[in-house]
Amino acid sequence: MESVSTASPLVTLLEDFSLEMTGKDLAKLEEARDLIPPGTRINVTFLGNEDLRMRLAAARAVLRYGFVPVPHISARRLGSQAALEEFLAALQADGITENVFVVGGDPAQSHGPYDDSLSVIRTGLLQEYGVRHIGVSGYPEGHPAIAEPLLWSALEGKSAALTEQRLPGTIITQFGFDVDPVVSWIEAVRARGVDLPIRIGVPGPAGVRRLMTFAARFGVGTSTAIAKKYGLSLTNLMGTAGPDRFIRTLARAYDPRRHGEVKLHFYTFGGLRATSEWIAEFRKEN
């Protein structure tokens, strides 16, 4: 594991946070850029309603504004090896290929030769096109379409592949509303010998209805008890909620000696400015 900060757990978690945006969020990035610390890592999605031009434009803007672009590569959305190489070559030509996040992606069936993120990593093509750091996914509450033993096997396989290829990596988790399974999962990751730094997925401030919609889509637990702990009101779906309770609870549970390097990754759900404002205010208060 990488070196562990001696600062308070809350400060440590909030250092070097990362953000996520879609290819359609260019105008929103422009609105938020003055609130985002220089050098912040910003992941750029690889969704079905985006194309190569949109993804590249978003990643270029992230770099142009002084941040670190982390383009996503969705394995099952790639129709061929040629499509993967076209994307990597375009990233390399723009100088934005150093960091990528490789994920299986939403399609139930592969559009081409890659069934999962590990199959992309094992091609060796990422390094050939200048990739120097690879993010992979983690699921503290499991995955609605993948059995838990397969999730663990995949994570261990990705960690081993990165070690074999001498590439540093990071695990970025799905967001959630309950700290308990997150901490248990981190401990299980470490117990399995996986020492990659971890970025815990956190929802940016958003309307309760919107948060519930995304939670249902990704299989995230939203029982009444969990909602109450997080600060969500299931009887007032018109309200809004931020992750302050979640982050403070995580900070109290976080032990760098046992859990290694842990940071936060904010899913902005299109609200880049709202999330950036919230983070800036929260850091100021803490």
Side-chain angles (χ1 to χ4, degrees), residues 103-273:
V103 65
D106 291 337
Q109 299 296 324
S110 301
H111 296 174
Y114 307 114
D115 291 328
D116 51 32
S117 55
L118 183 55
S119 61
V120 172
I121 294 169
R122 283 177 170 161
T123 64
L125 290 170
L126 303 182
Q127 303 94 303
E128 289 184 24
Y129 283 92
V131 173
R132 297 293 176 264
H133 184 281
I134 297 176
V136 297
S137 54
Y139 300 92
E141 295 187 46
H143 189 289
I146 305 174
E148 186 172 350
L150 291 178
L151 287 176
W152 283 118
S153 176
L155 183 60
E156 291 170 329
K158 287 179 282 193
S159 176
L162 293 178
T163 299
E164 290 167 8
Q165 297 178 15
R166 299 182 180 179
L167 279 172
T170 299
I171 302 168
I172 300 179
T173 77
Q174 181 57 271
F175 74 89
F177 301 119
D178 190 355
V179 166
D180 292 343
V182 170
V183 174
S184 296
W185 178 85
I186 293 172
E187 292 173 352
V189 169
R190 300 313 185 204
R192 291 169 182 267
V194 176
D195 61 2
L196 295 170
I198 296 172
R199 290 182 177 269
I200 299 300
V202 178
V208 174
R209 187 185 300 277
R210 187 170 180 81
L211 290 173
M212 293 298 99
T213 298
F214 278 100
R217 176 181 172 188
F218 295 114
V220 174
T222 56
S223 70
T224 301
I226 291 172
K228 186 176 181 179
K229 283 200 297 184
Y230 189 83
L232 296 169
S233 173
L234 299 187
T235 59
N236 179 19
L237 297 182
M238 300 305 292
T240 60
D244 49 308
R245 288 192 192 181
F246 179 95
I247 294 173
R248 288 197 176 96
T249 304
L250 179 61
R252 288 194 292 270
Y254 174 46
D255 181 353
R257 294 167 297 179
R258 287 191 299 130
H259 301 144
E261 182 176 337
V262 177
K263 303 290 185 184
L264 301 179
H265 177 76
F266 288 88
Y267 291 90
T268 63
F269 303 132
L272 266 169
R273 184 173 180 84

Side-chain angles (χ1 to χ4, degrees), residues 68-135:
V68 178
V70 185
H72 286 202
I73 299 173
S74 179
R76 287 190 287 274
R77 291 196 187 282
L78 296 166
S80 63
Q81 178 177 320
L84 171 60
E85 294 203 57
E86 178 187 20
F87 186 49
L88 291 171
L91 294 175
Q92 186 178 47
D94 286 332
I96 48 180
T97 190
E98 187 170 336
N99 300 275
V100 299
F101 175 76
V102 189
V103 65
D106 291 337
Q109 299 296 324
S110 301
H111 296 174
Y114 307 114
D115 291 328
D116 51 32
S117 55
L118 183 55
S119 61
V120 172
I121 294 169
R122 283 177 170 161
T123 64
L125 290 170
L126 303 182
Q127 303 94 303
E128 289 184 24
Y129 283 92
V131 173
R132 297 293 176 264
H133 184 281
I134 297 176

